[in-house]
Amino acid sequence: MRIALLGDFHYSRMDGGTAEMLEARDAAYKTMLDAFLQTEADLHISLGDLTHGGYPEEFRYVFEQINGSGRSFIHVLGNHDTYSIPKTEILAITGQQRYGAIELDEAKLLFLDSTKEMNRSDWGGELDERQLAWLKEQLEQSGGKPVLVFAHHPVYDTTAHSTKDKLSIHPDIDIQSALRAKQGPAFYFCGHNHLNSIVSRDGWHYIQTAACLDHPAFRLIELSGEKLTIGFVTMEDETLSGHIERFNTQVKGFKPTADAQGLEEDCYLQVDL
């Protein structure tokens, strides 16, 4: 099984952008999305913040390209995705679910919604009691089969910056009690904090992925036999970097993250299952 995994994409309609900025934006996002979708994989997954403002036209721009690619695509909601319209409207546009599970022979995949709704002042994460109970039940039922969880927000005090304000699922929400229900190999994939980070703790591997504008790349997850391998496909070249530099500091609410790529151990992981 092979999964292509996209970090925070932040496609923005860029209100007030100059013609040069909009041209650079379109070229950069098309280059990155084409590279991602042209990569052979069984599933293509977005870790949220696919859009920057959560506007219908932003979703439509991205999903027109995705739907035309023929790829099996799953979008996890990010906080930026939910800023402008209710989640029911987002799901109607994207054709996605708020959260759910896929049972495969090799592994169980779980997709969470860690976002608030139309709350620009609080970009931190949360899970309601119903979703927490569902998560725990899914993990208990998985037995010893590998589980891969995909969510936008990190679990508090795991990956880089996850102890900072609004940069994780809120610490008062006891997601750890649900995670402890898992027996066997377990992986939690997230974005939100815009830098790569991998931390292994208490039987779980926490993998955080940088924003595409900071580190133009996407992760590849390979599950084969008794190994799970996580690597990167880098999209960066001088042309793409030049396009990004023409507009990334002018996207309101987006601040470039220094050293987003992280160390080698934040980019690659191999686990014997």
Side-chain angles (χ1 to χ4, degrees):
M1 181 180 70
R2 194 183 208 204
I3 297 172
L5 186 64
L6 190 70
D8 296 33
F9 196 58
H10 282 278
Y11 176 76
S12 172
R13 67 183 191 182
M14 281 196 71
D15 294 335
T18 66
E20 182 186 14
M21 290 175 190
L22 295 176
E23 184 179 355
R25 174 205 63 182
D26 291 345
Y29 281 115
K30 186 178 189 308
T31 296
M32 292 188 290
L33 200 54
D34 283 352
F36 176 64
L37 292 172
Q38 287 168 10
T39 296
E40 289 297 327
D42 301 292
L43 274 176
H44 287 69
I45 298 172
S46 159
L47 285 168
D49 285 0
L50 193 59
T51 66
H52 186 67
Y55 297 110
E57 57 265 43
E58 293 177 347
F59 282 111
R60 291 191 182 103
Y61 168 85
V62 179
F63 272 87
E64 279 177 9
Q65 297 181 67
I66 291 168
N67 293 338
S69 71
R71 297 300 188 185
S72 296
F73 179 80
I74 295 175
H75 171 231
V76 171
L77 286 170
N79 55 293
H80 279 261
D81 296 320
T82 62
Y83 278 164
S84 297
I85 58 176
K87 293 180 184 181
T88 53
E89 293 186 27
I90 297 171
L91 302 180
I93 294 170
T94 65
Q96 302 279 309
Q97 293 181 305
R98 193 165 75 83
Y99 62 92
I102 297 177
E103 190 79 49
L104 301 171
D105 290 339
E106 305 95 328
K108 187 168 198 168
L109 312 183
L110 302 177
F111 304 91
L112 305 183
D113 172 19
S114 61
T115 65
K116 299 176 170 65
E117 187 165 58
M118 299 178 73
N119 187 343
R120 289 178 180 266
S121 65
D122 187 351
W123 50 90
E126 66 180 15
L127 294 177
D128 58 44
E129 289 298 326
R130 183 174 182 178
Q131 191 178 177
L132 268 176
W134 173 86
L135 173 61
K136 185 175 182 180
E137 181 182 19
Q138 292 290 326
L139 292 172
E140 288 172 343
Q141 291 174 355
S142 68
K145 179 184 282 190
V147 165
L148 282 64
V149 178
F150 302 89
H152 181 65
H153 293 84
V155 175
Y156 180 79
D157 195 19
T158 55
T159 50
H161 293 187
S162 63
T163 57
K164 295 185 177 182
D165 186 40
K166 301 183 182 70
L167 295 189
S168 72
I169 294 171
H170 197 280
D172 289 347
I173 297 171
D174 189 14
I175 187 175
Q176 287 286 4
S177 64
L179 299 182
R180 283 194 291 270
K182 173 60 185 162
Q183 302 293 319
F187 304 82
Y188 184 101
F189 296 90
C190 65
H192 191 56
N193 290 353
H194 290 198
L195 71 166
N196 295 319
S197 175
I198 296 178
V199 174
S200 298
R201 182 184 301 160
D202 301 327
W204 280 82
H205 303 279
Y206 298 93
I207 301 97
Q208 180 174 284
T209 299
C212 293
L213 293 182
D214 292 321
H215 182 212
F218 55 90
R219 291 194 188 270
L220 271 183
I221 305 167
E222 302 262 9
L223 181 56
S224 177
E226 297 300 314
K227 286 187 188 301
L228 185 142
T229 303
I230 299 169
F232 258 115
V233 174
T234 300
M235 302 179 281
E236 191 166 12
D237 59 35
E238 289 186 8
T239 302
L240 177 57
S241 298
H243 289 320
I244 290 173
E245 288 172 3
R246 288 185 184 92
F247 73 91
N248 66 337
T249 59
Q250 302 303 312
V251 178
K252 186 177 179 181
F254 181 88
K255 182 180 179 181
T257 300
D259 302 321
Q261 183 171 345
L263 303 174
E264 184 173 356
E265 54 263 36
D266 297 312
C267 296
Y268 303 97
L269 179 69
Q270 181 171 288
V271 177
D272 292 325
L273 301 176

